[in-house]
Amino acid sequence: MAILAKNWTGRLRYAPLLNIAILLASVVTFGLAVSYANASIRTPMENQAEVFMRPRPTNSKIIVYSTFMPFFTILQSGLDLSLHFLISLHPIYSLAISSVYFIGWLVQWSIWMHCEISGIGFDNAGKGETCWQVNLDHRKYSMVPMRSSEGVVNGRVGLGAVVIALYVTYFAMALLAVLRNRRGGGKSMKIGTSEMR
């Protein structure tokens, strides 16, 4: 079986299976993100002072804001998982992919935290320039749109943190595998069907 390839030695040979956990967490996060986007689209704008009013983003922008990283992570982790079963992917590939997706998730998660979670109980006037959620008719002391629930927002942000932690773990395991392969001497490293020296 290619998933237990020689490039991943010892216990590290199970590292590609982290893609299963990443895939599952991303699917659930995507579902929550779609629910949040739907609620945000259906929630009317609040009548606030003109200072804080920003136009409602288009429906497609709301959907992209809510689902961008979960959607692409589902595609990437599903592809990685199938490629690990079909051919032997080198840990360098996993190292590169996990670092790119870690940065993407960190940016997405930071935006979600700033616009949806960190505003609870605080004056939201400072967020009017960056977060369109400020202008939605939302629950008191919260940034959650009236037609959504705290559980959807907290679940999505919480699962985003889980995905970030999984990518950090995957990155660390891929880095250890690369270092072990490098210490192994001048042996060729198999990448798919080609070889590198």
Side-chain angles (χ1 to χ4, degrees):
M1 185 194 288
I3 197 145
L4 304 178
K6 294 176 184 175
N7 295 329
W8 297 84
T9 59
R11 290 184 182 153
L12 296 176
R13 70 180 183 266
Y14 297 107
L17 295 177
L18 278 172
N19 278 312
I20 294 172
I22 292 170
L23 179 63
L24 292 176
S26 296
V27 166
V28 175
T29 305
F30 182 76
L32 292 172
V34 168
S35 174
Y36 178 84
N38 186 32
S40 296
I41 289 167
R42 293 182 303 127
T43 300
M45 297 295 276
E46 196 173 52
N47 293 326
Q48 295 182 356
E50 287 298 316
V51 177
F52 306 119
M53 286 302 287
R54 294 186 58 178
R56 175 191 289 279
T58 62
N59 292 352
S60 58
K61 285 182 181 178
I62 292 173
I63 291 168
V64 168
Y65 163 83
S66 301
T67 63
F68 185 80
M69 282 308 297
F71 176 75
F72 283 104
T73 303
I74 290 169
L75 295 179
Q76 177 267 325
S77 58
L79 178 66
D80 274 7
L81 202 54
S82 59
L83 288 177
H84 277 295
F85 278 111
L86 297 174
I87 62 172
S88 175
L89 291 177
H90 197 273
I92 288 177
Y93 168 81
S94 299
L95 190 66
I97 288 294
S98 62
S99 62
V100 168
Y101 273 81
F102 164 74
I103 291 168
W105 269 100
L106 192 61
V107 168
Q108 179 79 71
W109 184 78
S110 298
I111 294 169
W112 287 348
M113 284 292 292
H114 172 70
C115 290
E116 298 166 30
I117 300 290
S118 64
I120 295 174
F122 298 103
D123 179 21
N124 294 323
K127 293 184 178 192
E129 294 182 18
T130 56
C131 302
W132 51 268
Q133 292 91 334
V134 170
N135 300 321
L136 291 179
D137 189 15
H138 52 273
R139 301 174 192 283
K140 191 173 183 178
Y141 305 116
S142 169
M143 292 297 287
V144 178
M146 286 301 284
R147 297 187 183 210
S148 187
S149 72
E150 297 277 344
V152 168
V153 171
N154 294 336
R156 184 170 58 115
V157 172
L159 282 170
V162 168
V163 173
I164 289 170
L166 287 169
Y167 272 117
V168 167
T169 305
Y170 193 32
F171 177 86
M173 294 177 89
L175 182 62
L176 285 172
V178 168
L179 293 175
R180 281 187 185 177
N181 284 337
R182 296 264 167 106
R183 280 191 219 131
K187 298 177 186 174
S188 63
M189 299 182 293
K190 204 171 194 179
I191 300 177
T193 56
S194 63
E195 292 191 6
M196 278 180 45
R197 285 208 178 262

